Amino acid sequence: MFGVVFPNRSFPMDISAFSQIDTSHWVLDMNTFVGEAYDQIREMCIFLLNNFTLPPDKALAVYIQSPGSQFLFCGAVTLARPSAVLTLPWPEPSGQMQLMPADSAPVSAKIGVSVEDLASLQSLDVTAEKRIERLALKVGENLFNFMQSFCGVDGSKLVVPMDILDRWFKKFQEKAKRDPEYLKGFVL
């Protein structure tokens, strides 16, 4: 049905590495994979296998769960998007972890995969949306700081030169052309 790879950490793993909860839910116990170092696993590639046909209105959704926390949606794959590299933003473990008897299994982080209606998912790639949001905020902050350095005060109003946006945009473009790493700094 599907496979996963943890870049620089594993060979491709198929669905047999996951525990099947029911016909549409699987869980990978990170304790069996990496022990308590689950938070060092930052990316996961999930892909549909060639012989599996997912209905066009369905998706394989990926969730992560730190010990004691709720599952957090990370992204999904569909027939139209049969593979994806997803960032795993592990939530902080909850302080409400319950003490377990000595003979019980340790509480561990998990990766969950489930078949869901495509229409019910907010986005296929949550990380890309957050990256775009951070980019927009950083560019806006850059513009604000540039404009602020040219501001004058007229009573209770800040006054900027009429050509300030043109000047900022030209400077922004010139920096991006000179230094390809400049724009990457906005995405981090």
Side-chain angles (χ1 to χ4, degrees):
M1 177 179 249
F2 67 89
V4 299
V5 172
F6 296 97
N8 301 318
R9 294 292 217 155
S10 75
F11 292 103
M13 301 165 34
D14 66 10
I15 196 171
S16 66
F18 287 71
S19 299
Q20 186 167 5
I21 306 303
D22 58 33
T23 58
S24 62
H25 295 87
W26 299 265
V27 173
L28 176 65
D29 184 340
M30 294 303 285
N31 201 37
T32 61
F33 180 57
V34 291
E36 293 180 12
Y38 68 89
D39 58 344
Q40 294 176 10
I41 306 295
R42 294 292 187 191
E43 289 183 313
M44 172 182 150
C45 176
I46 183 166
F47 52 92
L48 298 177
L49 297 174
N50 291 336
N51 60 353
F52 178 68
T53 54
L54 189 65
D57 63 334
K58 299 288 185 183
L60 276 180
V62 176
Y63 296 86
I64 58 174
Q65 179 186 45
S66 295
S69 72
Q70 298 294 319
F71 275 99
L72 174 70
F73 178 70
C74 293
V77 292
T78 64
L79 277 182
R81 184 180 182 232
S83 66
V85 176
L86 304 174
T87 300
L88 304 177
W90 294 99
E92 287 295 319
S94 172
Q96 301 172 353
M97 292 175 53
Q98 299 174 353
L99 294 175
M100 305 294 280
D103 61 343
S104 68
V107 177
S108 66
K110 295 176 178 48
I111 294 179
V113 177
S114 67
V115 177
E116 297 184 17
D117 290 329
L118 184 57
S120 70
L121 298 175
Q122 68 246 24
S123 168
L124 294 183
D125 191 349
V126 173
T127 306
E129 282 185 357
K130 288 183 180 185
R131 206 174 303 136
I132 291 167
E133 182 180 325
R134 278 195 310 271
L135 174 64
L137 289 172
K138 290 282 196 173
V139 170
E141 181 182 1
N142 183 275
L143 172 60
F144 177 78
N145 290 337
F146 183 80
M147 289 177 65
Q148 193 175 29
S149 67
F150 291 94
C151 283
V153 178
D154 181 17
S156 63
K157 297 178 184 175
L158 292 175
V159 180
V160 295
M162 286 184 62
D163 67 341
I164 195 73
L165 287 176
D166 289 332
R167 290 165 52 188
W168 169 79
F169 192 60
K170 285 177 185 170
K171 184 177 178 182
F172 191 82
Q173 286 178 313
E174 288 170 6
K175 278 187 179 178
K177 285 178 187 174
R178 271 194 325 267
D179 182 10
E181 297 295 315
Y182 178 69
L183 290 178
K184 289 181 184 176
F186 283 84
V187 180
L188 298 175

